[in-house]
Amino acid sequence: MAKKKTVRTIPQSRTPMPEQEPQVRARNFDEVACGYSPAHALREADRCLECPDEPCVRGCPVGVDIPGFIKRIAARDLRGAYDTLTNTNLLPAVCGRVCPQENQCEGVCTVGDTLEPVAIGRLERFVGDTAIREGWANVPYVEPVRFRVGIVGSGPAGMACAADMAKAGCDVTVYEAFHQPGGVLRYGIPDFRLPNEVIDAEIANLGKLGVKFECNTLVGRLFTIEQMVDELGYDAVFIGVGAGYPSMLSIPGDSLNGVLSANELLTRCNLMRARDFPVFDTPVPAGRRVAVVGAGNTAMDAMRVSLRLGAEKVYCIYRRSRTEAPARLEEVHHAEQEGVEFHWLTNPVAVLDDGHGSARGLRCVRMTLGEPDASGRRRPVAVPGSEFDFETDLVVYAIGTNANPIMGQTSGLKLNERGYIATDDELATSLAGVFAGGDIVTGAATVIQAMGAGRRAARSIKRYLGLRDSATAGSGATLFGIDLAEHGFTRVRTA
Amino acid sequence: MSDFEIVRREDFSDVTYLLEVRHPMMARAARPGQFVIVMLHEHGERIPLTIADYDRERGTITLVIQTVGKTTREMQQACRVGSRLYGLVGPMGVPTALGHAKKVVCVGGGLGVAPIFPQALGHKEAGAYVVAVLGFRTQKLVFWEDKFRRVCDELILCTNDGSAGMRGLITDGVQEALARHDDIDEVVAIGPPVMMKACAEVTRPRAIKTTVSVNPIMVDGTGMCGGCRIKVGDQVKFACVDGPDFDGHRVDFDDLMTRLARYKSEERAAEERFSASCRMANDSALQVLAGIAAGSAPKSDGADPLDPFEQTLGG
């Protein structure tokens, strides 16, 4: 019988993941982190203590059986590990890459009290990638029910909700306004963090569950939410359209050519493949010196994309200090390694005109940190007389988004004072049978939070339709067994 | 849904063509003032085109397209009856407000003629007296004159060279309409930004409400990228979800024109490359025989130089 593992007996250091060298990867769109080999995965799986209180499971917004899947990796049963993972999370290859594990499962890992925590995200990705390579898909036998569920938006919230409703036997259709499904996973997150093939594979898995995707469909305008219920015969609707509507800085020079939102830069580059112009028809502004305003994950993506598009210099301009930067530490670190120049405590005051309607520079002031503001972060205050200029031909705003107005314009849905869709605790909207979740309810957040919202809405929809839900049967307890706020998930603004 | 099949094509001139596309659901949903985004093929760009007409019985929408760049020229070659667009999404944008005006002047310049049609029809159906002012460079480019005559109470046609209708700029036609009527409630103008700007200046002294439909560069058309932002008064608006109709007296047209030109060099390069590849395809047999290097294909096909502002004309 195997001896009980302790922090003394397990491999002491976290198994590093092979990565492309910073100088090399900063010029290509291949994935930065290359993934674990089976040997790496076995070594890392051995670091899990299988502790009885399983804090990691409570730290996961969707409650993945983490010790369970790691145990199966250690037993060299990868198919079993995949089955365990996909019981709760249909998108392991995505989540393994883009979840902020340091604030979730890994942040509360018992091993992490003494050593570096178990690399749960890397192991999850290893299993997810193995499944894609092997063509595994878990298609449980589902007893069809007579309900039709319409899902608006094919991003992480919509995909998670679709998966759960399909598993409950419903006939599920997902509507997407773009010509390809995936939402922010497709247009926003660059290939070097989440390759398109991974998204394709996860979407194909949903297809095997019977989920139908209808692209080129702008719900609200082609048909309304009310029409989905009244005319198109949907018994329930889930809205997960994301926040959209990027904020601009409202400083002089905002509308100059060479000033654009991170959403535009990323959409052109990722979804429209502008990086392969002219093979693809969509162009992208070529910046020699690029200033990205903001320090969230989207800002980091915009900077690293700019480097790969051939920029000589990329600056990060952020009015607070590194401590307050909303991006994942790992993303800041990657950007630094690749040569992004960080200018903390720096606030833009004007984009400078080259005389022909294009940006030639960014005028900034130095900031200092004052008293904490409403967000609990210290309020940045301008230092008088500290103006200085950056020479730049491309300015990218990554300072957050506001609510997209289309749903409000086209339906009777109740909105909150900031224009987001108002829901109750069960994610039900003001219209019967219509539920909403993700960024269009909370404002900009993370992929895993959106997936969490999609799953929460799925449970509410099942209750609404009177379907049995094994996960909630017999208890009206908190849906995930965790309080999201406790785990630092309250941040919604990145500015 | 629909597979975006092209069911009718009509060529108005060698630079302007009409495509009627099957999309029953969109035909039912479309309202005057709305637009679509089209993708010709998987590698294509997303271009916004104003809906020029829709037929709920036939289940189709109509687009009128002018060749102003690579994509619109490629569509001119590739789109045949029976062929399919790769992507077609819409109707997008806030529909035009109708029913409030008793007497309306609908002004369409060049390619603005097609998108003004649903607005003229909409105002007419809402009970207004409708005067249409249509402007073309020359008689050869005139289209849909009959169609407008059928729905409008008056039609003022102008051509720059006087080869059809009155001779003059479209603003002369607008002046004529204002001279004929002193009780105009609203002027609606669609065309290149220079033309819409000029129309707004004609109506400004008389404080006649003037609505313009802008068509800036877009990517998604759903409010997500902000590429289509324009200045209206002291506010920044996204044409795709806040418009595309705005108060012509408050739109910053100079800003709009500068922003429209921002991919000019890329657009020109793409079009030259496209011209060269067409020529290569046509001449390929000859080239093989003659052993001419592909790279030596002429870069220009002698087309008129691009007017970047005409990009705004939409469909």
Side-chain angles (χ1 to χ4, degrees):
Chain A
M1 189 180 137
K3 259 197 321 200
K4 188 171 164 35
K5 287 197 271 189
T6 71
V7 281
R8 286 169 195 282
T9 63
I10 61 172
Q12 299 290 289
S13 65
R14 207 169 147 101
T15 314
M17 173 134 69
E19 283 183 353
Q20 283 195 73
E21 287 301 317
Q23 280 67 36
V24 176
R25 71 183 193 229
R27 300 291 162 190
N28 69 48
F29 278 90
D30 298 337
E31 205 167 7
V32 166
C34 310
Y36 273 169
S37 68
H40 290 132
L42 281 175
R43 178 182 180 277
E44 191 59 26
D46 194 28
R47 296 184 71 234
C48 176
L49 294 176
E50 291 163 38
C51 57
D53 52 337
E54 304 182 339
C56 51
V57 179
R58 292 193 305 277
C60 172
V62 296
V64 167
D65 176 8
I66 292 165
F69 94 80
I70 293 181
K71 197 158 121 186
R72 283 173 186 78
I73 297 177
R76 294 177 160 75
D77 173 17
L78 292 186
R79 179 71 209 224
Y82 177 69
D83 295 345
T84 306
L85 261 172
T86 48
N87 272 338
T88 37
N89 179 5
L90 207 80
L91 313 171
V94 172
C95 292
R97 286 172 168 84
V98 301
C99 275
Q101 289 99 6
E102 65 276 16
N103 300 325
Q104 299 175 353
C105 51
E106 294 178 12
V108 291
C109 169
T110 307
V111 175
D113 294 344
T114 326
L115 307 169
E116 287 176 299
V118 177
I120 299 167
R122 295 172 182 179
L123 289 172
E124 182 181 26
R125 171 179 161 178
F126 170 73
V127 175
D129 287 355
T130 305
I132 292 173
R133 216 172 22 248
E134 300 293 327
W136 295 338
N138 280 334
V139 183
Y141 172 73
V142 178
E143 186 80 41
V145 294
R146 280 169 200 276
F147 295 117
R148 296 181 64 219
V149 177
I151 297 194
V152 187
S154 69
M159 282 166 77
C161 188
D164 281 3
M165 294 321 298
K167 284 193 213 162
C170 295
D171 178 0
V172 180
T173 303
V174 180
Y175 293 106
E176 165 60 45
F178 271 129
H179 50 283
Q180 287 178 2
V184 71
L185 306 178
R186 183 82 66 180
Y187 74 76
I189 299 177
D191 278 28
F192 54 84
R193 284 217 289 137
L194 178 63
N196 270 330
E197 301 76 65
V198 173
I199 308 169
D200 292 340
E202 306 281 31
I203 286 170
N205 279 348
L206 286 177
K208 289 177 195 152
L209 279 176
V211 175
K212 295 182 282 289
F213 286 88
E214 292 275 7
C215 291
N216 288 298
T217 307
L218 181 60
V219 176
R221 291 287 174 205
L222 187 62
F223 45 81
T224 63
I225 297 293
E226 283 89 341
Q227 282 177 309
M228 288 179 76
V229 178
D230 298 339
E231 296 173 27
L232 298 180
Y234 287 108
D235 300 289
V237 172
F238 172 72
I239 306 172
V241 295
Y245 217 93
S247 302
M248 303 309 281
L249 268 176
S250 301
I251 58 174
D254 255 3
S255 69
L256 289 171
N257 290 338
V259 181
L260 73 169
S261 72
N263 268 7
E264 181 174 357
L265 177 79
L266 292 171
T267 304
R268 283 178 180 274
C269 192
N270 300 335
L271 174 76
M272 302 310 296
R273 297 280 301 273
R275 62 175 196 260
D276 296 325
F277 181 86
V279 175
F280 283 71
D281 288 340
T282 303
V284 68
R288 214 166 46 78
R289 291 166 176 264
V290 181
V292 177
V293 182
N297 289 322
T298 307
M300 299 303 142
D301 285 345
M303 293 168 207
R304 299 172 68 196
V305 160
S306 296
L307 282 171
R308 284 159 177 78
L309 289 173
E312 290 162 21
K313 280 257 180 225
V314 176
Y315 309 112
C316 172
I317 314 284
Y318 186 54
R319 63 194 179 123
R320 302 176 194 256
S321 73
R322 182 173 176 149
T323 324
E324 289 85 21
R328 292 180 70 185
L329 270 180
E330 183 187 317
E331 298 303 322
V332 179
H333 182 61
H334 275 145
E336 275 173 341
Q337 281 182 330
E338 291 172 11
V340 170
E341 220 177 279
F342 283 82
H343 295 269
W344 307 108
L345 292 166
T346 304
N347 199 31
V349 291
V351 187
L352 307 175
D353 192 338
D354 70 351
H356 304 286
S358 296
R360 68 163 171 89
L362 187 64
R363 180 154 300 161
C364 296
V365 287
R366 304 262 182 233
M367 307 296 277
T368 163
L369 291 180
E371 294 301 306
D373 63 12
S375 74
R377 297 178 295 179
R378 292 178 63 192
R379 184 192 301 276
V381 186
V383 178
S386 64
E387 280 86 358
F388 68 104
D389 296 346
F390 282 99
E391 189 201 315
T392 167
D393 50 358
L394 199 67
V395 179
V396 182
Y397 291 164
I399 54 170
T401 53
N402 295 305
N404 187 297
I406 294 178
M407 285 296 143
Q409 288 169 344
T410 59
S411 75
L413 284 168
K414 212 174 131 217
L415 308 180
N416 69 19
E417 65 286 350
R418 292 191 302 144
Y420 294 101
I421 296 176
T423 64
D424 64 13
D425 293 344
E426 311 293 307
L427 296 180
T429 69
S430 57
L431 298 176
V434 179
F435 298 77
D439 286 7
I440 194 59
V441 171
T442 58
T446 61
V447 167
I448 189 69
Q449 283 170 268
M451 290 184 53
R455 303 205 67 200
R456 234 170 94 202
R459 296 195 182 184
S460 299
I461 294 171
K462 285 184 229 173
R463 255 198 311 275
Y464 170 79
L465 297 174
L467 294 171
R468 215 162 51 92
D469 183 351
S470 52
T472 49
S475 87
T478 326
L479 289 167
F480 296 119
I482 55 157
D483 176 0
L484 288 179
E486 265 179 25
H487 292 273
F489 295 143
T490 50
R491 177 179 61 75
V492 292
R493 307 308 292 260
T494 53
Chain B
M1 209 56 35
S2 162
D3 54 5
F4 322 133
E5 184 190 350
I6 293 161
V7 296
R8 185 166 75 92
R9 169 175 168 144
E10 196 181 330
D11 287 76
F12 294 137
S13 69
D14 51 4
V15 290
T16 312
Y17 54 100
L18 172 152
L19 300 177
E20 188 175 340
V21 189
R22 190 187 318 283
H23 196 318
M25 213 170 217
M26 201 185 303
R28 200 171 68 127
R31 298 286 180 278
Q34 293 189 300
F35 66 95
V36 295
I37 282 190
V38 169
M39 262 182 102
L40 176 58
H41 50 67
E42 217 179 330
H43 289 198
E45 57 180 340
R46 295 168 64 91
I47 58 164
L49 296 167
T50 307
I51 299 171
D53 204 357
Y54 40 87
D55 187 327
R56 292 188 179 144
E57 274 162 30
R58 282 167 60 84
T60 59
I61 62 146
T62 296
L63 307 170
V64 177
I65 301 156
Q66 186 171 327
T67 56
V68 292
K70 192 247 177 183
T71 297
T72 44
R73 289 189 54 202
E74 195 177 1
M75 284 175 71
Q76 189 184 27
Q77 294 192 357
C79 293
R80 301 282 164 217
V81 172
S83 68
R84 289 170 170 79
L85 298 170
Y86 171 72
L88 174 67
V89 57
M92 291 165 148
V94 181
T96 301
L98 299 169
H100 56 282
K102 291 196 186 62
K103 194 173 268 190
V104 183
V105 178
C106 290
V107 189
L111 207 67
V113 168
I116 200 76
F117 178 78
Q119 302 222 18
L121 179 61
H123 279 291
K124 185 68 202 166
E125 285 176 347
Y129 184 92
V130 178
V131 182
V133 178
L134 307 182
F136 297 91
R137 275 210 305 274
T138 181
Q139 189 270 333
K140 217 179 68 180
L141 300 174
V142 174
F143 64 88
W144 278 13
E145 188 183 342
D146 291 349
K147 200 171 160 98
F148 275 91
R149 285 202 192 278
R150 281 198 295 276
V151 305
C152 298
D153 298 285
E154 288 175 46
L155 177 83
I156 300 170
L157 178 67
C158 0
T159 48
N160 296 6
D161 59 2
S163 53
M166 64 180 273
R167 181 194 180 104
L169 298 173
I170 194 151
T171 42
D172 300 324
V174 177
Q175 294 281 18
E176 168 68 19
L178 300 193
R180 288 186 198 172
H181 302 275
D182 59 2
D183 55 347
I184 289 163
D185 298 306
E186 183 173 356
V187 172
V188 187
I190 308 183
V194 270
M195 172 235 134
M196 294 192 287
K197 181 183 179 184
C199 289
E201 290 316 314
V202 170
T203 58
R204 193 190 300 273
R206 292 174 56 174
I208 298 169
K209 179 182 178 190
T210 300
T211 304
V212 297
S213 174
V214 298
N215 195 353
I217 298 172
M218 293 185 186
V219 182
D220 57 294
T222 63
M224 206 202 70
C225 83
C228 66
R229 65 189 188 276
I230 66 165
K231 283 189 200 161
V232 182
D234 54 2
Q235 286 183 307
V236 172
K237 297 283 187 186
F238 289 5
C240 63
V241 290
D242 300 322
D245 286 358
F246 292 101
D247 178 352
H249 292 147
R250 301 179 68 230
V251 169
D252 184 338
F253 287 103
D254 297 331
D255 177 71
L256 174 63
M257 287 185 259
T258 309
R259 289 185 55 72
L260 274 165
R262 67 188 189 275
Y263 290 109
K264 199 163 54 177
S265 59
E266 286 90 346
E267 284 161 5
R268 189 157 293 165
E271 200 187 6
E272 280 170 6
R273 209 174 289 107
F274 179 67
S275 300
S277 69
C278 295
R279 199 153 274 253
M280 283 190 326
N282 291 338
D283 299 349
S284 57
L286 271 177
Q287 281 179 10
V288 170
L289 287 174
I292 299 169
S296 68
K299 286 282 187 249
S300 165
D301 64 351
D304 287 344
L306 268 185
D307 174 1
F309 301 148
E310 291 201 337
Q311 296 268 348
T312 57
L313 290 175

